[in-house]
Amino acid sequence: MQNVRLPFPRCWRLADALRHFRNRHFLALDLFILSLTPLMALLLRIDQLASVAAYQTVLILYTVSALAIRLFIFYRSGLYARYWRFASLDELLLVGAAVCLSSTLLFGLFSILLPLHLVDVEPLQLLPRSIPLIDGLLALLFVGGNRLSVRLTERWRRGSPDGAATRVAIVGAGDTGSTSLREIKTHPQLGLKVVGFVDDDPVKAGMTIHGAPVLGGCDQIPELVSQHAIDQIFIAMPSAPGKEVRRILHMCEQVGVQAKMIPALHELFEGHFSIDLVRNIELEDLLRRAPVRIDTQAVSELLRGRRVLVTGGGGSIGGELCRQILACGPERLTIVGHGENSVFEIHKELQTLKGAKQTEIQTVIADVRFAGRILRVFQQEQPHVVFHAAAHKHVHLMEQHPTEAVINNILGTKNVLQAAQAVQVERFVMISTDKAVNPTSVMGATKRVAELLVHQAAQATGKPYCAVRFGNVLGSRGSVVLTFKQQIAAGGPVTVTHPEMVRFFMTIPEAVQLVLQAAVLGHGGEVFMLDMGQPVRILDLARDLIQLSGLQEGRDIDIVFSGLRPGEKLYEEMFTPDESYKETVHEKLLIAANAARFVPGNLDQALEALAYAARLDDCDAAIRLLENLLPEYGRRWSFNVDHQSSHRPPSHADPRSTCPPTQQIRASPLKRLAREQWGSEAGAVCGIVRQ
């Protein structure tokens, strides 16, 4: 950086002295200025110095009145409580509003009251009606000018970038782009020089915004980079779809310039923008749809001053739930989790975010599998609203350990629901998955049964207990994105199960907003989901991540196909065929209001058998019981053959079981229990649900 040589050094030294003025100094300066502006206004109006004496009495009266009115309005407007070295357009508008208001009052006083002879002044001595207007313009010029000079001097003193500054073009000449430009100009020490904007809006073509021209459209980026020697591209289009961001990124890579993303202003803490928050383009920016924004005002009203409990609060979804719930100002936030390290970390983070909020943050180490422990927690905390996020979610692992999925996802949900009903929880939201629709995996089947339990509880209590289905969440623990990043960091290869596999994706904040909105809109027994647009091919996702890492597929890193694993589908669905879904008051939020109609009458009986099979670690019996309880799960292999010709069970394996052989022959204790309790024939344990 280097200092700029300024013209008229004495004037700038005077302006520099203003930088050290405090508001009491500005008050004295205003008193001096406002004492002279009426005289100056009269001279400009009559253009004769000798004639001023004829207006002496009324001029003095006007000047005293103007001083009193203007200084009172300036004070009440907060003009003497501002730090003018960092003045912005808001402060200048405040000056203008204060001057206009005071001038209006003066105009009314001297143009209406004096002619009515309410003040004893001879008509020949009346001031011209234009004096308050001229005086107001002069006051605005001098009062606003001396404060603006402070801001300009501060800017000049900071210097400007030297010839080696990084030349930047901002894509997007909207609010985010213009704010970014102002921030860059405010901090020239960053070494950034904005050469102009790039925007496809034809109305803005050729226009200048804050001194920077609109150079052209996005299609002209390669030409503009060459013409203006641009070193970096800042993308200031936070609401642009991923397709558009991908197109701009591709053009930048073609011409060898770096592209960075400027986040949306509403995403930044308390709305304060900082150029330090400009970041590299992330995968979330390349979603093939516009990010979903949900109004959370109703959520804040629901949770403010209430006691809220979150199970699985140490997980990626549960942790974000806790962050957004804390922002709503609940009376108490209880974090229930099994992993002490994750609970400790989120508690420490929330204590930092809490600030001056009065919310009590409580942590509980407990496992949803233990009904007595969960009941005691609920009795102690007495929550009004419960978000149930605790679950096993890894498809491949649950295929290997189906009884663990049953115990945690089904019986754990039952325990939490029973505890919620025991203390009369007002609202209950369970986090489910799109894999619960026509499930082909143990994880999906157990989450579908958990949904049925929530619907059953909603019917029994008449309270708003509901479920929310997610697609795949970008950045959550164990997500495919993290796996791909690890593989890329290790030098590859990147493994993709199938070239045609597609998934719905959403960001963690979107997922949590959906959960919170469901708490507001739920009446009981519904399933909510987010309209996530078109699904994304996993292969395209892998290629995007390779590209964002600065690598090229085939040259730097390879993609290999590993084949579908047990329980996986080529694509996911969000509603079962019998569920009728519709839009809610939020355009992108869908609801299946009739989901509670599909609760089987023998659900409790089936759960008893499932619980017994799970506690015996009888994988084969547990899977067969799930098949009987969920007909769509029992047809999963035919479903895959019909809809996904490439996904067939291995010819040498029993498609209904993925347990080791030593575990597939342990059904005899359960068969004996079935004969004793239900009088069924030997081997009919897997048929108890049908009876």
Side-chain angles (χ1 to χ4, degrees):
M1 307 295 171
Q2 63 183 14
N3 292 329
V4 177
R5 186 177 182 85
L6 302 176
F8 309 109
R10 290 184 180 179
C11 294
W12 282 105
R13 279 197 293 271
L14 176 62
D16 186 53
L18 288 174
R19 293 176 60 248
H20 304 287
F21 269 33
R22 302 179 69 175
N23 279 305
R24 63 173 179 266
H25 301 134
F26 280 112
L27 175 60
L29 186 59
D30 290 346
L31 185 64
F32 174 73
I33 290 172
L34 296 177
S35 299
L36 295 179
T37 52
L39 176 60
M40 297 171 62
L42 183 59
L43 287 173
L44 289 172
R45 173 63 177 83
I46 63 177
D47 199 22
Q48 292 181 3
L49 182 60
S51 302
V52 172
Y55 298 95
Q56 179 177 351
T57 303
V58 73
L59 180 62
I60 293 174
L61 179 62
Y62 175 88
T63 302
V64 173
S65 302
L67 276 173
I69 292 175
R70 292 195 196 279
L71 291 179
F72 174 77
I73 292 177
F74 286 4
Y75 176 79
R76 297 295 297 177
S77 300
L79 248 58
Y80 300 114
R82 302 279 172 159
Y83 192 57
W84 295 99
R85 288 176 62 178
F86 300 112
S88 65
L89 180 61
D90 291 337
E91 279 73 22
L92 294 180
L93 289 175
L94 181 63
V95 173
V99 171
C100 288
L101 178 59
S102 58
S103 297
T104 301
L105 292 176
L106 287 167
F107 180 82
L109 179 65
F110 283 87
S111 297
I112 299 175
L113 298 183
L114 288 182
L116 294 176
H117 301 288
L118 298 179
V119 180
D120 189 16
V121 177
E122 292 296 329
L124 292 177
Q125 294 177 319
L126 290 179
L127 286 174
R129 292 178 181 269
S130 59
I131 291 300
L133 175 61
I134 301 173
D135 177 38
L137 293 175
L138 292 174
L140 179 62
L141 174 64
F142 289 112
V143 173
N146 63 49
R147 287 161 170 79
L148 180 61
S149 64
V150 177
R151 182 70 181 90
L152 292 176
T153 305
E154 180 68 22
R155 177 175 170 182
W156 280 105
R157 282 183 61 85
R158 289 175 179 268
S160 60
D162 56 27
T166 302
R167 297 173 63 83
V168 173
I170 299 177
V171 179
D175 291 337
T176 303
S178 61
T179 304
S180 306
L181 174 59
R182 288 198 301 269
E183 181 74 9
I184 291 172
K185 287 188 173 183
T186 303
H187 298 86
Q189 69 274 14
L190 295 173
L192 301 175
K193 179 179 177 59
V194 178
V195 299
F197 289 96
V198 178
D199 199 291
D200 287 333
D201 187 353
V203 176
K204 299 176 183 175
M207 300 183 71
T208 299
I209 301 174
H210 299 311
V214 179
L215 303 174
C218 294
D219 291 333
Q220 299 174 274
I221 286 178
E223 304 170 18
L224 297 175
V225 167
S226 176
Q227 292 175 5
H228 299 277
I230 295 171
D231 301 312
Q232 280 188 352
I233 295 288
F234 284 179
I235 302 177
M237 300 188 303
S239 60
K243 180 180 180 181
E244 181 66 13
V245 177
R246 185 178 289 102
R247 183 173 71 95
I248 295 171
L249 180 62
H250 180 67
M251 287 188 288
C252 292
E253 289 181 343
Q254 283 183 328
V255 294
V257 297
Q258 186 181 22
K260 290 183 176 291
M261 196 74 182
I262 298 176
L265 304 183
H266 61 79
E267 295 176 350
L268 307 180
F269 182 70
E270 292 184 352
H272 297 302
F273 177 82
S274 171
I275 198 66
D276 297 332
L277 294 169
V278 175
R279 54 172 172 76
N280 292 328
I281 296 175
E282 300 289 348
L283 186 63
E284 288 84 347
D285 301 316
L286 303 183
L287 278 176
R288 296 167 196 272
R289 57 176 173 81
V292 175
R293 310 294 178 200
I294 297 178
D295 181 16
T296 57
Q297 180 178 357
V299 176
S300 297
E301 294 175 358
L302 172 69
L303 301 181
R304 188 178 298 112
R306 313 289 279 174
R307 294 186 297 274
V308 184
L309 184 145
V310 180
T311 69
S316 51
I317 297 297
E320 180 64 19
L321 260 173
C322 291
R323 295 183 193 97
Q324 295 198 27
I325 291 170
L326 179 63
C328 297
E331 175 190 341
R332 181 190 301 165
L333 173 58
T334 303
I335 309 167
V336 179
H338 178 56
E340 61 174 5
N341 291 329
S342 58
V343 171
F344 173 79
E345 290 298 329
I346 188 63
H347 179 258
K348 183 171 65 174
E349 180 184 348
L350 293 178
Q351 288 289 359
T352 303
L353 295 175
K354 177 181 174 181
K357 292 185 177 69
Q358 300 301 314
T359 301
E360 177 187 353
I361 303 175
Q362 182 73 22
T363 57
V364 177
I365 303 299
D367 195 324
V368 297
R369 297 181 299 176
F370 299 104
R373 170 64 172 150
I374 293 300
L375 177 59
R376 286 191 294 273
V377 170
F378 274 63
Q379 289 172 339
Q380 178 180 350
E381 299 299 321
Q382 293 291 317
H384 298 111
V385 184
V386 171
F387 296 95
H388 179 42
H392 287 326
K393 64 178 185 178
H394 294 283
V395 172
H396 182 58
L397 287 176
M398 293 305 100
E399 289 298 307
Q400 297 175 349
H401 307 282
T403 54
E404 281 297 315
V406 169
I407 293 174
N408 201 66
N409 294 357
I410 297 178
L411 302 182
T413 299
K414 182 180 180 182
N415 294 337
V416 175
L417 282 167
Q418 288 178 339
Q421 294 176 71
V423 300
Q424 298 185 358
V425 168
E426 297 175 7
R427 292 179 180 269
F428 186 100
V429 181
M430 188 204 80
I431 295 176
S432 187
T433 170
D434 55 2
K435 294 174 177 59
V437 180
N438 291 322
T440 60
S441 65
V442 172
M443 192 279 281
T446 55
K447 293 298 285 184
R448 176 57 181 158
V449 176
E451 287 182 4
L452 297 176
L453 285 170
V454 174
H455 302 332
Q456 184 187 57
Q459 291 175 335
T461 63
K463 293 182 177 179
Y465 288 19
C466 60
V468 180
R469 288 179 188 151
F470 286 170
N472 291 262
V473 180
L474 291 172
S476 63
R477 294 177 185 174
S479 70
V480 67
V481 174
L482 297 182
T483 301
F484 285 166
K485 286 183 176 180
Q486 292 169 355
Q487 292 175 339
I488 292 171
V494 174
T495 57
V496 177
T497 53
H498 192 282
E500 298 304 321
M501 176 177 280
V502 294
R503 290 291 183 268
F504 293 102
F505 282 97
M506 62 197 311
T507 64
I508 291 178
E510 283 181 325
V512 170
Q513 288 176 32
L514 171 61
V515 174
L516 295 176
Q517 200 67 53
V520 176
L521 299 179
H523 296 289
E526 307 97 338
V527 170
F528 291 88
M529 66 156 288
L530 190 69
D531 181 2
M532 293 177 290
Q534 295 299 315
V536 178
R537 278 207 315 170
I538 301 298
L539 178 59
D540 293 335
L541 194 71
R543 287 170 174 166
D544 286 340
L545 280 172
I546 292 173
Q547 186 179 24
L548 289 174
S549 301
L551 305 173
Q552 287 188 11
E553 178 192 353
R555 187 192 70 180
D556 303 310
I557 199 165
D558 294 324
I559 294 178
V560 298
F561 298 103
S562 59
L564 293 175
R565 295 181 296 185
E568 289 184 327
K569 295 192 291 186
L570 283 182
Y571 64 90
E572 302 289 359
E573 303 162 277
M574 296 309 295
F575 291 105
T576 66
D578 296 327
E579 290 175 341
S580 59
Y581 63 91
K582 60 183 179 180
E583 292 183 353
T584 64
V585 292
H586 295 280
E587 179 184 2
K588 293 294 184 178
L589 195 61
L590 305 178
I591 180 175
N594 66 333
R597 291 174 48 193
F598 307 107
V599 178
N602 55 356
L603 180 59
D604 292 333
Q605 185 184 25
L607 290 182
E608 289 183 36
L610 264 175
Y612 192 79
R615 291 184 179 116
L616 290 177
D617 197 23
D618 194 327
C619 299
D620 184 65
I623 290 177
R624 291 178 186 273
L625 286 166
L626 284 174
E627 290 176 339
N628 290 332
L629 180 58
L630 302 174
E632 64 271 28
Y633 178 57
R635 298 191 301 266
R636 65 192 185 280
W637 294 112
S638 61
F639 172 81
N640 286 332
V641 171
D642 292 341
H643 295 79
Q644 307 162 192
S645 59
S646 60
H647 187 190
R648 292 184 170 88
S651 58
H652 61 278
D654 180 358
R656 296 169 296 181
S657 177
T658 56
C659 298
T662 56
Q663 292 180 312
Q664 295 182 20
I665 60 176
R666 295 176 54 189
S668 57
L670 190 62
K671 293 175 183 178
R672 287 196 297 270
L673 177 70
R675 287 196 301 268
E676 294 171 1
Q677 290 192 335
W678 294 288
S680 55
E681 297 295 328
V685 63
C686 296
I688 59 175
V689 179
R690 297 193 185 99
Q691 296 179 1

